[in-house]
Amino acid sequence: MSLLDTRVPAVLLRTDRNPFHHGTLGAVRSLGRAGVEVHVVADAVGSPVRRSRYVSRMHPPPPPDASPDDILAVLRRVADRVARPAVLVPMDDACAIATARLRDELAPSYLLPAMPGALAERVADKAELAAVCATADVPHPVTLVPDGPAAVDDAVRRLGLPLVAKWSRPWLLPAGSGLRSTALVRTAQQARELYLRTEEAGSALLLQAYLPPGPDRDWFFHGYADRSGTVRAGGPGRKQLAWPRGAGLTAVGCWTPNAEVQASAERLVGELGYRGVFDLDFRRCGTTGRYHLLDFNPRPGAQFRLFSDSSGLDVVRALHLDLTGRPLPDGIPTAGRAFVVENYAPLAALRPAPGGRELAWYARDDRVPGWAMWALWCRHVSRRLRERLGATTPAPAQLPTPRAASPALTDDEKASS
């Protein structure tokens, strides 16, 4: 018998169009395996997630630049089709911020954690995060917000080079702009050029002291703050391999006990009165040994399935249990467990894993998304290679017509896959 209340469905929401978002697949499988009916509101074109046997239905998402009203309208249409209250799980920052603000309007169709509507936006805003950390006595890299070209030059002198440039509200970056949420800046000219694109970016540019990467320096903490504020599920993890290397998403992670990281996470969440799922990124300073908080994401991290304990509890299941009034089991942390994203770390996926391991895409009980991912990944890599070669060779007289994207699976097709 499932620990979860299988009468209550779940709706996963994502406006980000990245087809390689393995965290969404992890949430689909986690809830679906427990018998929960899972609806996914996300882009289905080319996405391996739609091929999962645990997806009950795919729904068209709001556009990537959707306003809160756009998101509300889409969720109301989905609620009409689901026809009963559902646990809502936002899978990207923009959706987490919007749904937190819309909590009253979304009730009673959707169940969401009770916390101040502006808190999700506050912690996701990189400019606000420094002040938040100071209040909770959590180390944070020195961060400056220049208000003009002269201030950019002054910040470069004070922080030194290289330094890190971040956009305060990265979820506002326009698609196709070429702007990245975070960039390593090696010259003052690069910093000035980024600052001149502030209006285009939609939020302020932050310049931050650079903490060099190194062995055992990159850590993360995933957790769920329940209705009482107690941090449940999740735990501290060590990033063993990143993509891109040195600064990027977790390609290989390991559940590793770390009392200092855990204490910082619990202190910060407690000071804020935060409720719900969260994902924190830390980097240890090689000089002082202190763990500096780099990011606070008010939603499940892509590698949240790393933290599945002896009872099968993870942060997404904890959310569903808590919001449906069910007790959370006290499982034993499975320290040493690994999580590997195969397309970013294929060799690591082949090595033995004495502490146990979960792959982001492949699963014995749900094989098709893994096969679909590799087909999509090969096309993605081939396209990138052609683009690089095209930059140094004359363009062909005529480009082939792209293949039309395959339609979403029907219920019959899913049953046979």
Side-chain angles (χ1 to χ4, degrees), residues 247-325:
L249 59 81
T250 299
V252 181
C254 181
W255 192 341
T256 308
N258 187 316
E260 188 172 347
V261 167
Q262 180 146 352
S264 292
E266 292 177 350
R267 183 167 64 250
L268 180 60
V269 169
E271 288 280 346
L272 291 170
Y274 186 90
R275 299 291 185 272
V277 181
F278 61 92
D279 164 26
L280 310 180
D281 288 323
F282 292 86
R283 177 165 287 180
R284 181 171 59 84
C285 176
T287 303
T288 66
R290 303 185 76 192
Y291 292 87
H292 291 247
L293 182 65
L294 303 182
D295 283 306
F296 190 129
N297 301 303
R299 40 79 182 168
Q303 72 272 23
F304 80 91
R305 281 292 303 163
L306 169 63
F307 303 105
S308 177
D309 67 17
S310 62
S311 70
L313 187 69
D314 60 36
V315 296
V316 169
R317 289 188 176 185
L319 171 72
H320 195 283
L321 286 165
D322 192 44
L323 294 183
T324 56

Side-chain angles (χ1 to χ4, degrees), residues 1-88:
M1 182 176 177
S2 175
L3 289 172
L4 279 66
D5 188 343
T6 57
R7 298 168 299 176
V8 181
V11 174
L12 311 186
L13 174 66
R14 200 182 83 241
T15 55
D16 173 23
R17 296 299 176 94
N18 176 15
F20 299 108
H21 191 268
H22 50 274
T24 303
L25 180 60
V28 166
R29 287 171 171 167
S30 177
L31 295 168
R33 285 168 178 154
V36 174
E37 180 183 309
V38 182
H39 294 255
V40 181
V41 185
D43 185 25
V45 177
S47 171
V49 173
R50 70 188 177 94
R51 307 296 299 272
S52 174
R53 61 182 294 193
Y54 296 112
V55 173
S56 297
R57 188 175 190 127
M58 297 290 301
H59 302 265
D65 56 351
S67 68
D69 286 342
D70 294 333
I71 292 174
L72 179 60
V74 168
L75 287 175
R76 281 176 170 166
R77 285 198 295 271
V78 173
D80 289 341
R81 304 204 70 163
V82 175
R84 60 193 189 278
V87 171
L88 183 57

Side-chain angles (χ1 to χ4, degrees), residues 123-137:
V123 297
D125 188 315
K126 313 302 181 187
E128 292 277 355
L129 189 59
V132 167
C133 288
T135 301
D137 192 28

